[in-house]
Amino acid sequence: MKVAIVHDWLVTNAGAEKVLRSIVNLYPDADIFSLVDFMSDEERNIIIDGKKVHTSFIQKLPYAKKQFRNYLPLFPKAIESFNLSAYDLIISSSWAVAKGVKKTPDQLHICYCHTPIRYAWDLYDEYTKDLPWLKKIVVKNILKYIKKWDLGSIDRVDYFIANSKFVQARIKRIYNRESTVIYPPINIDAFRLNEHKEHFYFTASRLVPYKKTKLIVQAFNEMPDRELIVIGSGEELPNIQKIAKNNIKILGYQSDETLIATMQMAKAFVYAAIEDFGIIPIEAMSCGTPVIALDEGGTKETIIDQKTGVHFPKQTIASIIDAVQKFEQLDFNPREIHQEAMKYTHFEAELRAFITKGEV
């Protein structure tokens, strides 16, 4: 069976790329297609064993390496430009347009859906609310086109796999399609259990608005007797560095080794984003570290209140402060937390079973 793997874009090693890594493990001889590939050689070796990636015409457009997202109106045309007629099985890893590749009636297309396009659907208002009025008109028209194309390409997918029950509900609501939930892979071998915890709190993510790291920093500004360590880089880094008080250490980008070591020693991991699934809170659990997380999105179904962490109801400073205070009244067993993370280690076996044992 000849297999094509389609991934939206390859620019960094984040959660979706961990899924891609596992799909490549299952199909090491597959060909890989992506709108663009701007990874370093080291990242390419880690994610796809250094394999060549077939890219679209966007790869060669001016300033694409840093500004490829500005070519959003061309994404549908670019993904449709791939000729996959020689393949028996197409597996798309999609959070944007990868699911819209064209196929023939004889081909099987399975989409692992991280989410329907966020900025066109659920985060539409957040992405457009602060834009100047003229730019807002342009962006709204572009997103209107993207939504129409997104809905029009649904029938190119034979089977949807959702990365969480939260995304499964989105797929049903937006696409009116059924899906099977297979949780993303977690590398518990790297995120090893550490039962000795120190007295600081920890958070890590890309420092972009929807991750709400700034909100966590603002909450800990109001708790000067509690130490917070922040790891991550992104557009909000300068502002977060500016507002953080003395009890907060902003470390910026750090190596995986430093991130893991910090996560293993933290008293708790704090996370405020509405995630489709949220791999990093599970990685914290694998370290035996309890998670203080929003009771919405992926963390609503992965964090068990008062067993593996504490939920808070709203993305507000007061909710985070209340959750920290509640957390400090409870006792947590790092071994039990680590054991709960083990539930998320069966991705490859479940995907293989879905494809090969009659599910399709």
Side-chain angles (χ1 to χ4, degrees):
M1 183 167 61
K2 196 170 183 183
V3 180
I5 300 171
V6 186
H7 194 71
D8 281 302
W9 51 79
L10 287 162
V11 297
T12 188
N13 187 8
E17 286 67 43
K18 291 179 172 66
V19 172
L20 177 61
R21 167 71 266 178
S22 288
I23 298 173
V24 172
N25 286 344
L26 287 177
Y27 296 99
D29 296 326
D31 291 328
I32 300 172
F33 296 80
S34 180
L35 292 179
V36 296
D37 171 17
F38 294 121
M39 293 185 299
S40 67
D41 290 340
E42 180 182 1
E43 289 172 325
R44 193 175 295 103
N45 286 332
I46 291 170
I47 299 168
I48 56 174
D49 294 330
K51 291 168 66 74
K52 177 184 177 182
V53 177
H54 301 274
T55 57
S56 74
F57 61 82
I58 292 177
Q59 180 83 15
K60 297 181 179 180
L61 292 179
Y63 310 109
K65 187 169 185 177
K66 292 185 177 180
Q67 304 292 336
F68 75 92
R69 289 177 179 83
N70 290 340
Y71 291 113
L72 174 63
L74 301 179
F75 283 8
K77 182 178 178 66
I79 206 71
E80 291 176 346
S81 71
F82 291 130
N83 181 0
L84 305 183
S85 59
Y87 298 91
D88 304 297
L89 172 64
I90 301 167
I91 303 174
S92 60
S93 165
S94 183
W95 66 93
V97 297
K99 75 161 187 54
V101 290
K102 290 185 174 181
K103 62 175 288 265
T104 68
D106 295 331
Q107 292 175 299
L108 178 65
H109 177 188
I110 297 172
C111 173
Y112 189 87
C113 186
H114 303 275
T115 180
I117 307 174
R118 284 194 199 99
Y119 35 84
W121 299 104
D122 293 84
L123 294 182
Y124 175 84
D125 290 334
E126 185 167 339
Y127 274 95
T128 59
K129 66 180 180 180
D130 295 326
L131 296 176
W133 70 270
L134 184 58
K135 188 173 182 179
K136 182 179 289 190
I137 292 173
V138 173
V139 170
K140 283 189 172 184
N141 283 330
I142 291 171
L143 293 181
K144 182 178 179 181
Y145 159 68
I146 293 293
K147 288 169 77 170
K148 182 178 180 180
W149 175 86
D150 193 32
L151 293 177
S153 65
I154 293 170
D155 290 340
R156 298 174 188 175
V157 177
D158 295 298
Y159 297 93
F160 278 99
I161 298 174
N163 71 351
S164 65
K165 295 176 183 176
F166 181 60
V167 168
Q168 184 181 50
R170 275 186 186 164
I171 291 170
K172 181 62 177 177
R173 171 170 54 85
I174 296 171
Y175 296 154
N176 195 28
R177 291 286 298 272
E178 302 299 328
S179 60
T180 298
V181 175
I182 299 179
Y183 288 119
I186 305 298
N187 183 4
I188 63 167
D189 293 332
F191 294 85
R192 293 188 297 274
L193 171 66
N194 178 35
E195 296 188 63
H196 175 70
K197 303 299 179 184
E198 299 186 6
H199 294 292
F200 65 87
Y201 293 85
F202 176 50
T203 189
S205 71
R206 287 182 294 114
L207 301 183
V208 294
Y210 90 91
K211 292 290 189 179
K212 301 298 180 184
T213 305
K214 181 179 176 181
L215 185 71
I216 296 171
V217 169
Q218 290 171 323
F220 276 82
N221 277 343
E222 302 296 320
M223 298 183 284
D225 56 333
R226 296 172 174 91
E227 182 182 355
L228 174 70
I229 294 178
V230 180
I231 286 179
S233 62
E235 63 189 71
E236 286 201 319
L237 177 59
N239 187 245
I240 288 173
Q241 289 173 321
K242 184 178 180 179
I243 67 169
K245 294 186 177 178
N246 292 335
N247 59 312
I248 301 170
K249 296 179 181 178
I250 312 296
L251 302 186
Y253 171 81
Q254 296 293 318
S255 66
D256 287 348
E257 290 78 11
T258 299
L259 184 145
I260 292 169
T262 308
M263 188 176 282
Q264 288 173 323
M265 294 184 293
K267 182 177 185 177
F269 185 78
V270 188
Y271 206 65
I274 301 175
E275 286 287 15
D276 306 316
F277 172 71
I279 286 180
I280 197 165
I282 312 300
E283 292 171 337
M285 287 168 51
S286 184
C287 295
T289 302
V291 179
I292 300 172
L294 186 67
D295 191 22
E296 190 173 347
T299 50
K300 180 181 180 70
E301 62 191 87
T302 59
I303 308 303
I304 303 173
D305 196 49
Q306 301 189 42
K307 180 181 178 182
T308 63
V310 171
H311 284 142
F312 54 90
K314 298 179 181 179
Q315 289 176 316
T316 64
I317 293 172
S319 283
I320 294 173
I321 292 173
D322 288 347
V324 170
Q325 293 172 343
K326 179 181 177 182
F327 167 81
E328 292 179 348
Q329 303 302 313
L330 300 169
D331 292 320
F332 292 90
N333 185 322
R335 286 191 174 273
E336 288 184 1
I337 295 171
H338 172 78
Q339 193 62 36
E340 188 66 25
M342 293 286 289
K343 289 166 47 176
Y344 304 98
T345 60
H346 309 298
F347 174 83
E348 290 181 24
E350 291 180 15
L351 182 60
R352 182 187 293 112
F354 184 89
I355 294 172
T356 63
K357 293 185 179 180
E359 290 291 334
V360 296

